[in-house]
Amino acid sequence: MSTQMLRLPQVSLPTILATPAPSIDLRLTSYYVSTSNFLKAVSSYKHRALTSLTALSSKHAAESKRLSEKAHALETETNQCKVREIELVGALEREKEERKDAELEVAALKRQLAALREKSAAIESDIEQYKAITDNLRRERASERSTLLKHASSISPEVSALEAALGCSLEGIENGHLLLRFFHLSRASPELECSLVFDVSQGYKVVTASPPLPTLALLVNTLVETNRFNEFVRDVRQAYLTHLNPNS
C-alpha cells in the first residue's frame, strides 16, 4: 500500500488574526487517515517479515535435520566400514596362517613324495636285480632240466629194468607229493598195483593208500622215528605181501 505525504497549506497568521473568529484548519481527518494507513503498512510489513522469518526458520530447521540425519548415516556407515575393515584384517590374517600351514603341508608332502620316489627307484632297482637273478635261475634250471632229461633218457631202460626186478617205483608228483607203487604182490591178481602217496612237505604224511594197509600207521611211525626210508619201503612191501596173500 502506497502512502502520500500530507502537505499542509501555508498559513498567514496576520490574515487569520484579522478575521472575526480566528481559527486554523489542521486537517486532522486527513492526518488520522494517513496515520492509520501508515500503521497498517507497518503491520503488513511486520506480518510479511514474521512469515518470511518463520519460513526461513522452518527451512533452516529442515536443512539442519537433514544434515544431522546425513551426518548420522555417514557416521553409521563409517562405523560399519571400520567393523568390516577389522573383519577383513582378521580374515586376511587367518588366510595368511592357513596359507602358511598349507605351504608347510605341501613342503612335507613334497618331501614324502621325494622319499617315495627314491624308495620306488630303489625297489625298481631291486626288482630288476631279482628279475636278472630269476632269469639266470630259470636258464640254469632249464639247463639242469635238459641235462637231467638227457641222463634220464639214457638210464630210463635201466631204471625200468630195476623197477621190474624190485617190483616197486618211486616218483614225484605235484605239490610236493611222492608216489610209491608196488607191482606183482598178489598171487591171485598179479595185475593188482598197490600205491602210497606221501606229502613230504609235512614230513612223512601218507595222503592215500590203495588198497588200505592195516599196519600202515605203525610202519609210518617207525619211519618218522628212524628216518630209514629204504627199510620202510621193504617193510611196506612185505606187509602188502602178507595182507594180499593170507594163505601163503
Side-chain angles (χ1 to χ4, degrees), residues 91-165:
L92 289 175
E93 291 296 328
R94 289 193 299 272
E95 184 178 353
K96 185 185 295 184
E97 292 296 327
E98 291 175 357
R99 183 176 180 180
K100 183 178 179 181
D101 294 340
E103 290 177 351
L104 293 175
E105 186 174 357
V106 168
L109 290 175
K110 286 183 177 179
R111 289 193 296 270
Q112 292 179 5
L113 180 59
L116 289 175
R117 285 177 176 173
E118 292 179 358
K119 187 175 181 180
S120 177
I123 291 174
E124 288 179 357
S125 177
D126 292 340
I127 289 174
E128 292 299 325
Q129 293 179 0
Y130 290 146
K131 284 182 178 180
I133 294 172
T134 302
D135 292 338
N136 290 333
L137 290 175
R138 285 176 178 173
R139 285 192 294 270
E140 292 176 0
R141 186 172 180 181
S143 177
E144 292 174 356
R145 181 178 298 173
S146 177
T147 303
L148 290 174
L149 289 175
K150 290 179 181 179
H151 286 292
S153 62
S154 63
I155 65 173
S156 180
E158 298 178 4
V159 172
S160 298
L162 184 60
E163 288 179 351

Side-chain angles (χ1 to χ4, degrees), residues 44-208:
S44 177
Y45 174 78
K46 178 182 178 182
H47 178 71
R48 288 196 305 273
L50 289 176
T51 301
S52 178
L53 289 175
T54 301
L56 289 174
S57 177
S58 299
K59 183 178 180 181
H60 177 71
E63 185 67 14
S64 297
K65 182 179 180 182
R66 186 183 68 81
L67 292 175
S68 177
E69 291 176 351
K70 185 175 182 180
H72 179 70
L74 289 174
E75 183 179 1
T76 302
E77 186 176 358
T78 301
N79 292 332
Q80 291 176 354
C81 290
K82 289 181 179 180
V83 172
R84 286 197 295 271
E85 181 181 3
I86 294 172
E87 292 176 351
L88 288 174
V89 170
L92 289 175
E93 291 296 328
R94 289 193 299 272
E95 184 178 353
K96 185 185 295 184
E97 292 296 327
E98 291 175 357
R99 183 176 180 180
K100 183 178 179 181
D101 294 340
E103 290 177 351
L104 293 175
E105 186 174 357
V106 168
L109 290 175
K110 286 183 177 179
R111 289 193 296 270
Q112 292 179 5
L113 180 59
L116 289 175
R117 285 177 176 173
E118 292 179 358
K119 187 175 181 180
S120 177
I123 291 174
E124 288 179 357
S125 177
D126 292 340
I127 289 174
E128 292 299 325
Q129 293 179 0
Y130 290 146
K131 284 182 178 180
I133 294 172
T134 302
D135 292 338
N136 290 333
L137 290 175
R138 285 176 178 173
R139 285 192 294 270
E140 292 176 0
R141 186 172 180 181
S143 177
E144 292 174 356
R145 181 178 298 173
S146 177
T147 303
L148 290 174
L149 289 175
K150 290 179 181 179
H151 286 292
S153 62
S154 63
I155 65 173
S156 180
E158 298 178 4
V159 172
S160 298
L162 184 60
E163 288 179 351
L166 294 175
C168 70
S169 67
L170 181 65
E171 60 181 305
I173 56 178
E174 73 277 359
N175 299 326
H177 291 174
L178 290 177
L179 174 62
L180 177 61
R181 297 186 297 170
F182 297 98
F183 314 103
H184 312 300
L185 297 180
S186 174
R187 294 184 179 88
S189 302
E191 72 281 358
L192 178 65
E193 178 181 305
C194 300
S195 62
L196 299 178
V197 176
F198 292 90
D199 184 358
V200 294
S201 64
Q202 300 184 21
Y204 294 107
K205 179 181 179 181
V206 178
V207 180
T208 61

